[in-house]
Amino acid sequence: MFSLHQLRCFLAAYEHGSLTAAATELGYAQPSVSEQIRLLEKACGAPLFRRVGRGVVPTTVADELRPHAERTLAAADDARRAVQSVSRLETGTIRFGMFGTARLYAGAGLVADVLRHHPGVRVELIGQNSNEVQDDLRRGRLEAAMIAVPLVSSEGMSVTPVARDELVYVSTDPARLASPVTAERLSRASLVMPETTWRAEDSTRMILRQMLHGTGRNPQTRIEVEDVETAVELVGMGLADSVIPRGAAEQLLPRLAPGAGLAPLRPRQFDTFAVVHRSGATLSPAATLMIELATKRIQSIAEPVRPR
């Protein structure tokens, strides 16, 4: 097995015809260069140089090895430059996990923020639901993410809350919006709810189930859909009411359900958005950048949660 160090010593000696000159170029002691070439000859199973006076003359084996050594070192240098370029966020792919409705809070704006600072990178925002993203984090498919969490703890994960958004009741019936919606009223409501694939673990639904715990009932869904836009459209048609984060409601109601309004829950309930990564992980520059930019974006729309 050859080392890059051995190949550098070999090429320097080949070029200069002198171990002493090779050592001077590389900044090593001459015995160190001699030892590296000796080890390389042992690995090759053949001599690479013949000593002539104070210099060395390459053998035919050395002549054969030289172009391969040059290509190997060039490839290693290319690899080093590529890694450094990615580390400096000049090139490469930045992957970051986001909860499904992040597109309403920080999606396009977050990508624009990244490309404004680092136009040479490729950006991937991953995730349709927070639980899906958290599973990708556990499996190592993602380094870091910002997701909605019903509880600010998770085994094996570092969870840092950065913002919260109030859950609100949306409806086209003014009478249902005249006062805050209590757990008792919510237990009797006919709802359309998004995130049907993840209904058992969706953070909004978990919060509502906890809110209704004292009533002995779960939220009554009349319609199940995947995305919050469809849920809001159905609210606008008067077919059901819904409970969604305020940030999503304020953005979607004017466009998809202009006849609908919103009311708070009583007691008030909040979805918490948190930065999540594996406990003890050393984050890359890309992950650190995404956390910083995503936090800034989400806190400009939702209520910031300050570190304790």
Side-chain angles (χ1 to χ4, degrees):
M1 180 67 68
F2 305 161
S3 73
L4 296 179
H5 184 39
Q6 291 167 359
L7 294 178
R8 287 192 182 95
C9 291
F10 161 73
L11 286 176
Y14 189 100
E15 179 181 350
H16 292 287
S18 166
L19 298 181
T20 301
T24 300
E25 177 189 320
L26 297 172
Y28 302 142
Q30 190 268 342
S32 175
V33 173
S34 297
E35 176 64 11
Q36 293 305 311
I37 290 176
R38 186 188 69 78
L39 292 173
L40 184 58
E41 288 177 326
K42 183 178 180 181
C44 292
L48 296 172
F49 296 101
R50 296 191 305 273
R51 292 186 178 275
V52 178
R54 294 185 177 182
V56 292
V57 175
T59 65
T60 55
V61 175
D63 291 336
E64 182 68 25
L65 176 61
R66 181 186 60 80
H68 298 286
E70 289 174 340
R71 286 195 294 270
T72 298
L73 291 177
D77 286 341
D78 287 344
R80 175 183 52 79
R81 285 191 293 270
V83 169
Q84 289 177 342
S85 180
V86 171
S87 298
R88 293 192 296 264
L89 303 180
E90 295 172 355
T91 60
T93 297
I94 296 178
R95 304 180 76 240
F96 190 68
M98 294 287 281
F99 55 97
T101 54
R103 60 190 177 275
L104 303 176
Y105 295 82
L110 176 57
V111 173
D113 289 343
V114 176
L115 296 181
R116 189 178 303 113
H117 290 87
H118 304 282
V121 302
R122 179 173 177 271
V123 182
E124 294 183 5
L125 292 185
I126 308 297
Q128 293 294 320
N129 178 271
S130 292
N131 289 281
E132 176 188 45
V133 173
Q134 196 161 5
D135 186 57
D136 282 344
L137 285 167
R138 288 195 180 95
R139 294 173 182 268
R141 296 170 182 162
L142 288 171
E143 186 179 3
M146 180 175 290
I147 59 177
V149 291
L151 301 172
V152 290
S153 64
S154 182
E155 184 177 355
M157 292 287 168
S158 170
V159 181
T160 306
V162 296
R164 66 176 192 169
D165 200 8
E166 184 178 9
L167 298 179
V168 294
Y169 189 91
V170 294
S171 176
T172 55
D173 186 342
R176 299 174 192 162
L177 305 175
S179 61
V181 178
T182 63
E184 184 61 37
R185 282 180 56 197
L186 185 62
S187 71
R188 293 184 275 105
S190 180
L191 302 176
V192 53
M193 293 297 293
E195 309 286 2
T196 185
T197 295
W198 297 277
R199 69 181 76 179
E201 294 118 354
D202 175 61
S203 64
T204 294
R205 298 199 195 208
M206 291 176 70
I207 292 168
L208 295 183
R209 286 196 291 269
Q210 183 63 33
M211 178 183 174
L212 268 59
H213 181 72
T215 69
R217 302 181 63 182
N218 283 327
Q220 300 300 302
T221 54
R222 181 184 184 189
I223 307 169
E224 291 279 348
V225 295
E226 291 289 4
D227 60 279
V228 68
E229 289 89 347
T230 300
V232 170
E233 284 189 273
L234 291 167
V235 170
M237 295 175 186
L239 297 176
D241 297 339
S242 191
V243 177
I244 60 175
R246 181 182 288 274
E250 290 177 345
Q251 293 188 57
L252 295 178
L253 262 58
R255 177 162 56 92
L256 300 178
L262 57 86
L265 302 177
R266 179 182 291 165
R268 296 171 71 195
Q269 304 292 324
F270 295 87
D271 243 346
T272 299
F273 304 132
V275 171
V276 182
H277 57 80
R278 282 167 290 173
S279 298
T282 300
L283 299 178
S284 68
T288 301
L289 173 71
M290 293 301 292
I291 288 170
E292 176 186 342
L293 294 178
T295 298
K296 184 176 180 180
R297 276 277 170 185
I298 206 75
Q299 288 182 341
S300 70
I301 298 171
E303 178 184 339
V305 174
R306 301 302 178 189
R308 295 180 178 178

